[in-house]
Structures are given as structure tokens and as C-alpha cells.
């Protein structure tokens, strides 16, 4: 007799046995058949799952599903060794793969692996190829490295520098200077700061804030502060040019009565600054508002790397602090600091004579007339405020630090400012004196102080 169980068989003796022996034999055979069936039924699937055959089986099932569904279904792949989870990091998919798979690039969603019918076989091969080339864990930069905001301890990284607004270029400055000499003024309006300043409108509708003063030092302060900003590579000061008020001259002949109403004296030098549209108030950074104010690397590290607008504004503040310290500008942040004795919340108010261009994010340094002359005469009263802001600064733009270093080494800032005045304003030499020697001496000392502060910060933070 032959008993079969699955693919196994057992031959039993065919010789007749006693009735009791036959019953025992049947029971044994049935038990063996049951045990063998269980063993085969459990062992075989386990072997098949771990064999290369399993992928073929899945493909076969996928093809059968494709014949019933409108699209083909790709089984979710097992995460390769060392690759981060897809559900936690959707950005590991390239834009190409995301577009082909219909993945919404949102880290809060889990990517779907269903591919639409219009994906060609070539596209699917490219997707699979790119998947195989995904970086391993060691190739994926650390979050800290990917979002580095500073380099060499104290300098803004290229990730920030590359996003800064370009400001006013050299070509724009040259064009403005030429424009103010070639176009007639057709109207004067009140505005642009102090009482005798005027908003002037040229014949083509272009506007300019025109600065008029009875004394020379504030006109000198405005134009030489502008020149210094160009020497430092700072493009935040609007293009400015000098002019001379002459009611009988062709440029002013249309507004003779308005000049008399403004009480402008004949043959006085004025500064014509390009009017900038789209400006909004700018506020002092929170780290500089406190009594123990500071803008150091740790203050930058507290910033959200995704908040690009805040970062590019903070980077421009590092330039503003240097510029205002060098010129001893009284009418900007020092104005807020000084007025805190009457208004403790003054640092929360918009910074005086500072605005932000809403579209580009450029900080515009306005009204610098107190710089280099008037502010220098009042250092005994205000130097503590200037010094506190410089000492609070330990983050710099590398280009600005390098310009300061060059001016300190060459000690030629006075010569360069005077050459700029002669080159750009040859017709104004008899109307406006050059920057005085005393101011140049103080400026050189302040350049050295800025250079020392940069060196001190490098020592503190370069290897930290």
C-alpha cells in the first residue's frame, strides 16, 4: 500500500495484517501524512520569500493588477542601507522624481509611489536610476553645515552674502551725477527732512531730495559721507551730487519765485540725492536694543536660517554700525539711544533716518549730514553711545572688513576723499571747502578702532 502526502510518499507492506495491526498502521500513516503536510506548508513559503523568486512573484502580481487598474503599481521599495526615511525627508527626492511621481514637496506628507500612465519606460528607468544613486547617510551634509550662516567665526557666509540686495551701483551713481547737470528743475515742494530742505521735481518727473543749509559743514558731511560709503564698498547710501543754486541759471529759472519762498540764498551749494520710492520704516535688531547689546556669532546662530529677510537685514546692520561709527553720525541709532532717557521704549521705535526698500530688502542710509564734521565736534557728548555700538559688534561682512584694513594700512583715506571731490565736482571747488584735516585725523583714528575690534573678534571666535 502507498500513502502520499504532498510531494512525499510512503510505501507500506501489502501483506495482509491482522485487523488490529491494520488499524494501528492506518493511524500511524494518517499522523505522518498530517505532520508532513504541515511541515511542507510552513517551510515552503518561508524559503520562497527569501529567495530571488519573490521579486518575480511580486512583479507578476503587479502585472496582473495593472491589467485591472488604470495605472501600474510599483511596490514600495525597502529603504536602502544608510538612506534617511522618505516619510521624514521628502527633499531626498529630486524635483524630477517628484514631478514624475506626483509628490507634493511638503515634508509633512508621505510620498505616493503611484505613477501615472503617461510616464514612459525611459522615464521610469531614469527614476529608478536616480533612486539607486541617492546619497548615503555620510554624503548628506549635517543640518548645521547646510545652514551655516558664518565662516571663520565672524564673517557672513556666502549663503547670506549671495542674497544681499545689490544696492546702488557705480553706474547708477554716475548716471545720477550726469542727470542732475543736464535737466531743469520745474517745481519745489516742502519735504525731505528739515525745514529748508525741498523735494525738487525735474522736467521729466524725476524727484530728488535737495539739502540746503546756511553753513557748509552739514553739506560737507552729507557729500563726504557719501564718498566714504563708496570707498568702503557700501551701496546703501542713495546716489548724491552737488549743485549750486542760481535763480538766473537755466536749471533754476523755472522756480525763481519758489526759491525766494524757500529762502534759499543765491550761489549756495546744495546736495541733490535721488528720491527712492517704496521705502518703509526699519527697526533696530532686538539684539542691539537691550542694555547689554551685542551682535555676536551666538546672536546670529539664534536666527532661523529660513528667515532670509531677517538675515539679509542683519547683515546690513553690521555695515551700518561701522559706517555710523566712522562718521560719528548722530541722527540715526545714537538718536534713539540718547532719547531713551526720556522714553525707555525708544529703541523699539523705527530707527531715525533709516528705511528699508520694501521690494529688495535694501537698508537705505538716509540723511548723513551730521557725519565727519558736525558729529566729530560733539564727540565729547556722544562718544559713549558710538563706542557702545561698535563694541557690541562682532559679526562683519568680509568685504567691509577688508576695505577697512586697506584704509588703515595705507592711511590715505583723506587723499582719496579729496580726489573724489575734485574728480566728481570740478565746478564746485570754489563753492564748497574740502574735508578739513582735523576730520581726516579723527577718521583715521576711528578706522583703527574698527580694525582693532575686528581683530579682537577674530581672536575670540575664529577657532571657536
Amino acid at each position: 500500500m502507498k500513502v502520499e502526502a504532498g510531494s512525499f510518499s510512503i510505501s507500506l507492506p501489502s501483506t495482509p495484517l491482522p485487523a488490529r495491526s491494520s488499524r494501528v498502521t492506518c493511524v500511524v500513516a494518517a499522523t505522518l501524512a498530517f505532520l508532513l503536510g504541515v511541515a511542507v506548508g510552513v517551510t515552503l513559503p518561508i524559503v520562497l520569500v527569501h529567495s530571488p523568486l519573490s521579486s518575480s512573484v511580486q512583479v507578476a502580481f503587479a502585472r496582473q493588477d495593472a491589467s485591472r487598474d488604470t495605472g501600474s503599481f510599483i511596490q514600495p521599495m525597502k529603504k536602502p542601507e544608510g538612506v534617511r526615511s522618505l516619510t521624514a525627508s521628502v527633499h531626498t527626492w529630486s524635483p524630477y522624481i517628484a514631478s514624475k511621481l506626483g509628490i507634493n514637496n511638503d515634508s509633512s506628507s508621505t510620498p505616493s509611489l503611484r505613477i501615472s500612465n503617461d510616464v514612459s519606460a525611459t522615464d521610469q528607468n531614469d527614476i529608478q536610476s536616480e533612486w539607486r544613486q541617492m546619497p548615503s547617510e555620510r554624503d548628506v551634509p549635517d543640518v548645521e553645515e547646510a545652514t551655516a550662516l558664518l565662516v571663520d567665526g565672524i564673517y557672513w557666509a556666502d549663503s547670506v552674502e549671495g542674497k544681499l540686495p545689490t544696492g546702488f551701483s557705480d553706474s547708477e551713481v554716475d548716471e545720477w551725477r550726469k542727470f542732475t547737470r543736464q535737466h531743469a528743475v520745474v517745481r519745489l515742494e516742502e519735504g525731505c527732512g528739515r525745514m529748508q530742505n525741498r523735494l525738487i521735481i525735474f522736467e521729466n518727473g524725476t524727484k530728488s531730495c535737495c539739502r540746503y543749509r546756511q553753513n557748509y559743514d552739514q553739506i560737507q558731511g552729507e557729500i563726504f559721507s557719501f564718498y566714504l560709503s563708496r570707498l568702503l564698498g557700501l551701496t546703501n547710501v542713495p546716489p548724491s551730487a552737488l549743485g549750486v543754486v542760481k535763480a538766473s541759471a537755466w536749471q533754476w529759472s523755472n522756480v525763481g519765485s519758489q526759491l525766494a519762498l524757500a529762502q534759499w540764498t543765491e550761489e549756495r551749494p546744495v546736495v541733490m540725492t535721488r528720491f527712492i520710492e517704496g521705502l518703509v520704516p526699519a527697526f533696530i535688531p532686538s539684539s542691539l536694543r537691550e542694555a547689554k547689546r551685542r551682535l555676536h556669532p551666538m546672536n546670529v546662530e539664534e536666527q532661523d536660517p529660513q528667515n532670509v529677510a531677517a538675515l539679509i537685514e542683519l547683515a546690513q546692520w553690521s555695515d551700518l554700525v561701522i559706517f555710523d561709527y566712522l562718521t560719528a553720525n548722530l541722527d540715526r541709532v545714537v538718536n534713539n539711544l540718547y532719547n531713551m532717557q526720556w522714553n525707555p521704549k525708544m529703541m523699539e521705535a523705527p530707527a531715525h533716518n533709516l528705511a528699508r526698500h520694501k521690494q529688495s530688502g535694501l537698508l537705505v542710509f538716509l540723511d548723513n549730514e551730521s557725519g565727519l564734521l558736525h558729529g566729530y565736534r560733539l564727540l565729547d557728548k556722544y562718544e559713549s553711545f558710538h563706542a557702545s555700538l561698535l563694541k557690541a559688534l562682532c559679526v562683519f561682512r568680509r568685504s567691509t572688513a577688508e576695505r577697512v584694513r586697506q584704509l588703515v594700512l595705507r592711511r590715505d583715506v583723506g587723499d582719496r576723499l579729496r580726489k573724489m571731490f575734485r574728480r566728481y565736482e570740478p565746478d564746485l571747488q570754489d563753492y564748497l571747502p574740502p574735508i578739513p584735516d582735523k576730520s581726516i585725523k579723527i577718521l583715521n583714528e576711528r578706522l583703527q578702532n574698527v580694525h582693532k575690534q575686528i581683530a579682537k573678534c577674530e581672536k575670540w571666535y575664529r577657532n571657536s
Side-chain angles (χ1 to χ4, degrees), residues 204-344:
N204 69 346
T206 299
K207 299 177 182 179
S208 168
C209 275
C210 191
R211 187 172 307 280
Y212 176 93
R213 290 291 180 273
Q214 288 293 341
N215 56 2
Y216 290 122
D217 63 349
Q218 290 173 314
I219 298 297
Q220 290 172 294
E222 185 72 32
I223 196 65
F224 283 108
S225 291
F226 172 69
Y227 292 159
L228 179 61
S229 73
R230 306 309 294 187
L231 286 181
L232 293 169
L234 309 183
T235 59
N236 304 77
V237 181
S240 300
L242 287 171
V244 178
V245 178
K246 293 182 180 181
S248 59
W250 66 270
Q251 189 171 35
W252 302 95
S253 60
N254 296 319
V255 292
S257 60
Q258 297 175 44
L259 290 174
L261 187 62
Q263 299 181 348
W264 282 14
T265 305
E266 285 281 315
E267 298 193 348
R268 299 293 297 183
V270 293
V271 179
M272 292 180 281
T273 299
R274 199 176 92 189
F275 184 82
I276 310 300
E277 302 279 0
L279 297 183
V280 296
F283 292 84
I284 300 170
S286 57
S287 60
L288 294 178
R289 297 180 193 176
E290 304 166 357
K292 294 183 179 179
R293 59 188 59 86
R294 55 171 19 193
L295 180 52
H296 282 225
M298 64 279 295
N299 305 110
V300 173
E301 292 169 0
E302 295 171 354
Q303 302 297 314
D304 179 3
Q306 305 302 320
N307 192 345
V308 177
L311 289 171
I312 64 176
E313 187 165 328
L314 206 58
Q316 293 175 87
W317 267 93
S318 64
D319 278 346
L320 177 59
V321 171
I322 290 177
F323 181 61
D324 280 0
Y325 176 81
L326 291 176
T327 60
N329 190 311
L330 306 172
D331 294 334
R332 204 155 13 240
V333 184
V334 168
N335 175 80
N336 290 57
L337 289 172
Y338 183 75
N339 285 297
M340 282 183 65
Q341 57 188 310
W342 296 286
N343 181 2

Side-chain angles (χ1 to χ4, degrees), residues 60-198:
F61 283 133
R63 289 174 178 171
Q64 292 174 10
D65 290 342
S67 64
R68 296 189 297 268
D69 200 354
T70 56
S72 60
F73 182 79
I74 297 180
Q75 292 289 325
M77 300 181 183
K78 183 180 179 182
K79 185 180 75 171
E81 188 70 24
V83 177
R84 294 175 178 176
S85 170
L86 292 176
T87 59
S89 186
V90 176
H91 65 268
T92 53
W93 293 91
S94 73
Y96 173 75
I97 291 180
S99 65
K100 292 300 182 183
L101 297 182
I103 297 175
N104 181 18
N105 192 19
D106 181 357
S107 59
S108 64
S109 62
T110 303
S112 169
L113 297 182
R114 186 173 294 277
I115 302 179
S116 60
N117 284 334
D118 60 353
V119 179
S120 66
T122 302
D123 289 334
Q124 293 189 34
N125 291 335
D126 290 342
I127 293 170
Q128 293 173 0
S129 174
E130 187 155 352
W131 165 260
R132 288 192 295 269
Q133 295 173 9
M134 287 178 64
S136 65
E137 189 77 23
R138 64 179 179 273
D139 296 325
V140 178
D142 294 332
V143 173
E144 182 179 355
E145 178 184 350
T147 59
L149 302 176
L150 298 173
V151 294
D152 294 335
I154 64 170
Y155 296 107
W156 291 104
D158 290 343
S159 60
V160 178
E161 289 276 358
K163 295 181 176 65
L164 291 177
T166 56
F168 305 102
S169 65
D170 290 339
S171 61
E172 287 180 278
V173 171
D174 291 338
E175 289 170 4
W176 176 250
R177 191 178 298 113
K178 294 176 182 176
F179 176 87
T180 59
R181 295 169 182 169
Q182 297 172 354
H183 290 79
V185 178
V186 296
R187 192 165 72 254
L188 271 67
E189 297 179 356
E190 291 187 2
C192 291
R194 296 180 185 263
M195 184 180 297
Q196 286 191 290
N197 290 351
R198 288 294 183 269

Side-chain angles (χ1 to χ4, degrees), residues 375-441:
Y376 283 177
R377 286 200 298 271
L378 298 174
L379 282 177
D380 289 344
K381 184 176 182 179
Y382 296 105
E383 176 59 12
S384 61
F385 298 109
H386 295 302
S388 69
L389 287 169
L390 179 62
K391 291 176 181 177
L393 182 65
C394 250
V395 178
F396 309 90
R397 293 185 66 189
R398 192 185 295 275
S399 58
T400 306
E402 179 59 24
R403 295 288 185 104
V404 169
R405 187 184 72 84
Q406 291 177 4
L407 291 173
V408 168
L409 291 176
R410 296 174 180 175
R411 294 189 65 82
D412 64 347
V413 65
D415 292 339
R416 297 178 72 176
L417 289 175
R418 287 166 178 154
K419 286 179 180 177
M420 293 174 78
F421 178 48
R422 290 193 298 268
R423 182 169 69 249
Y424 297 145
E425 308 291 352
D427 299 332
L428 271 292
Q429 303 300 303
D430 295 333
Y431 294 93
L432 187 70
I435 185 169
D437 290 338
K438 185 177 180 180
S439 291
I440 296 301
K441 181 177 182 294

Side-chain angles (χ1 to χ4, degrees), residues 2-31:
K2 190 174 184 179
V3 179
E4 295 185 358
S7 58
F8 296 84
S9 62
I10 300 176
S11 298
L12 299 176
S14 57
T15 307
L17 296 174
R20 180 179 178 83
S21 298
S22 297
R23 287 195 299 271
V24 171
T25 301
C26 289
V27 170
V28 170
T31 301

